[in-house]
Amino acid sequence: MIKLSRFTDYAVVILAELARGEAGRLRLAASDIAARTNLPEPTVAKILKSLTRAGILSSTRGVNGGYGLTRMAEKITVADIITAMDGPISLTDCADSSPCVLEGHCSMHGRWGKVNFAIRTALSSVTLVDLMQVSVRKPSPFALPAGESAAVEE
Amino acid sequence: MIKLSRFTDYAVVILAELARGEAGRLRLAASDIAARTNLPEPTVAKILKSLTRAGILSSTRGVNGGYGLTRMAEKITVADIITAMDGPISLTDCADSSPCVLEGHCSMHGRWGKVNFAIRTALSSVTLVDLMQVSVRKPSPFALPAGESAAVEE
DNA sequence: TAAAATAGAACTATATAAGTCCTGTATTTT
DNA sequence: AAAATACAGGACTTATATAGTTCTATTTTA
């Protein structure tokens, strides 16, 4: 199974929360985001840092600091989010990392190139907005267990 | 990073070996395949069983038994191979498995649907033949370390 | 009937991901 | 200027999934 890390799903939940308020102009502290999403705070903090390093979020320090989107949700693709959280999108370990020791006789190198390209194209065609438009039919009547993805549209 | 299991890459190597001889009519025993691909035999055996269960290979038991492709390499897609080795193609755990306990309020359920569809489409458009056409420029001058993907076109 | 080859399951070890915690740095308010 | 607030980054622990191995049963041909 091709799996993305749980963090990537959390990241979408977090980004969706930030994209909701005032056309993306919302600015929230890590603790607020954790509270709103019901995700554990240390985990949220870690994800926010990754998203900031990748340039999807901007951060401000100090007393009234927090995080906010750097661009509109329409401009944030699934490929952007996955890349931020998990590194380059590639089905194999070495297919895209430059320091490949087996360079020249590693059969993986060329083999998966077309597939990786196809995947990247597919993931670039879906944006954060697309992910947000899907609302859950029945809102959760009770609190989700800790550790579960917990973004339920109310 | 979105990763496929190493087994899936091995599977491609094995299938490529079987697709080479006589327009796919080759029939080889597990031990032969292990020898030709330089992959550990128990691992090869395991992969062959998975591919057989999935219907990509057929097997015959007994003294002159072995494995062979059930259809032409052009008809075997990357999606087929990945599904055979790693189960349904889905970026999340529950998005496609029927027994989802959180059914109804699991936010993942709808969220990744479009993305999964895009991925499956992309993977269905690449066939085993496409993967085989990529040959390595310099053949390996020495044996690859055990555990590395070791299919080098000679 | 003996040898060769696949089928399938159970088990162990290892690598990766997830989660937590600690220390440091920047900014704002009092 | 000092204190409080909030982000930055790294180290560490634990849990889980993957990879790999081994053993037993079944099937087929010589």
Side-chain angles (χ1 to χ4, degrees):
Chain A
M1 181 164 35
I2 312 178
K3 261 187 347 210
L4 46 80
S5 66
R6 209 178 304 178
F7 277 29
T8 305
D9 185 58
Y10 294 169
V12 171
V13 174
I14 290 169
L15 289 171
E17 188 64 40
L18 282 167
R20 201 190 310 194
E22 297 101 58
R25 296 195 163 279
L26 197 58
R27 196 151 208 93
L28 291 175
S31 55
D32 291 334
I33 295 172
R36 291 184 183 218
T37 57
N38 288 318
L39 295 173
E41 189 178 332
T43 298
V44 169
K46 204 174 185 180
I47 293 168
L48 289 168
K49 288 168 193 171
S50 295
L51 294 173
T52 303
R53 268 193 291 267
I56 296 174
L57 297 181
S58 68
S59 64
T60 48
R61 295 189 177 187
V63 171
N64 290 317
Y67 295 92
L69 301 181
T70 56
R71 56 185 188 270
M72 292 181 301
E74 293 83 17
K75 297 282 185 181
I76 300 173
T77 70
V78 172
D80 293 333
I81 301 171
I82 293 177
T83 302
M85 297 307 302
D86 303 308
I89 293 171
S90 168
L91 292 180
T92 54
D93 281 330
C94 76
D96 265 291
S97 57
S98 17
C100 177
V101 251
L102 293 172
E103 187 80 36
H105 60 271
C106 168
S107 63
M108 277 208 199
H109 219 82
R111 185 156 59 235
W112 292 100
K114 291 175 192 173
V115 180
N116 286 330
F117 182 79
I119 294 274
R120 284 193 208 103
T121 303
L123 293 177
S124 297
S125 70
V126 183
T127 73
L128 179 56
V129 174
D130 295 321
L131 298 185
M132 292 173 64
Q133 279 169 354
V134 181
S135 65
V136 176
R137 283 139 302 228
K138 314 185 217 163
S140 170
F142 49 83
L144 286 171
E148 290 298 335
S149 176
V152 177
E153 299 286 332
E154 299 111 89
Chain B
M1 181 161 40
I2 312 178
K3 259 186 349 210
L4 46 80
S5 65
R6 208 180 304 179
F7 277 28
T8 305
D9 184 58
Y10 293 169
V12 172
V13 173
I14 289 168
L15 290 171
E17 188 64 38
L18 282 167
R20 201 190 311 195
E22 297 101 59
R25 294 194 165 281
L26 197 58
R27 195 150 207 96
L28 291 175
S31 55
D32 292 334
I33 296 172
R36 292 185 183 218
T37 56
N38 287 319
L39 295 173
E41 188 179 333
T43 298
V44 168
K46 204 175 185 180
I47 293 167
L48 289 168
K49 289 168 192 170
S50 296
L51 293 173
T52 302
R53 267 192 291 265
I56 296 175
L57 297 180
S58 69
S59 65
T60 49
R61 294 188 177 186
V63 172
N64 291 316
Y67 296 90
L69 300 182
T70 56
R71 55 184 189 272
M72 291 181 302
E74 293 82 16
K75 298 281 186 182
I76 300 173
T77 70
V78 172
D80 293 333
I81 300 171
I82 293 177
T83 301
M85 297 306 301
D86 303 308
I89 293 171
S90 168
L91 292 179
T92 54
D93 281 330
C94 76
D96 265 292
S97 58
S98 20
C100 177
V101 250
L102 293 173
E103 187 82 36
H105 59 271
C106 168
S107 63
M108 277 207 198
H109 219 81
R111 184 157 59 237
W112 292 99
K114 292 175 191 173
V115 180
N116 286 329
F117 182 79
I119 294 274
R120 284 193 207 102
T121 303
L123 292 176
S124 297
S125 71
V126 184
T127 73
L128 178 56
V129 173
D130 294 322
L131 297 185
M132 292 173 65
Q133 279 169 355
V134 182
S135 66
V136 176
R137 283 138 301 225
K138 313 184 217 163
S140 170
F142 49 84
L144 286 171
E148 290 297 336
S149 176
V152 176
E153 299 287 331
E154 298 110 88

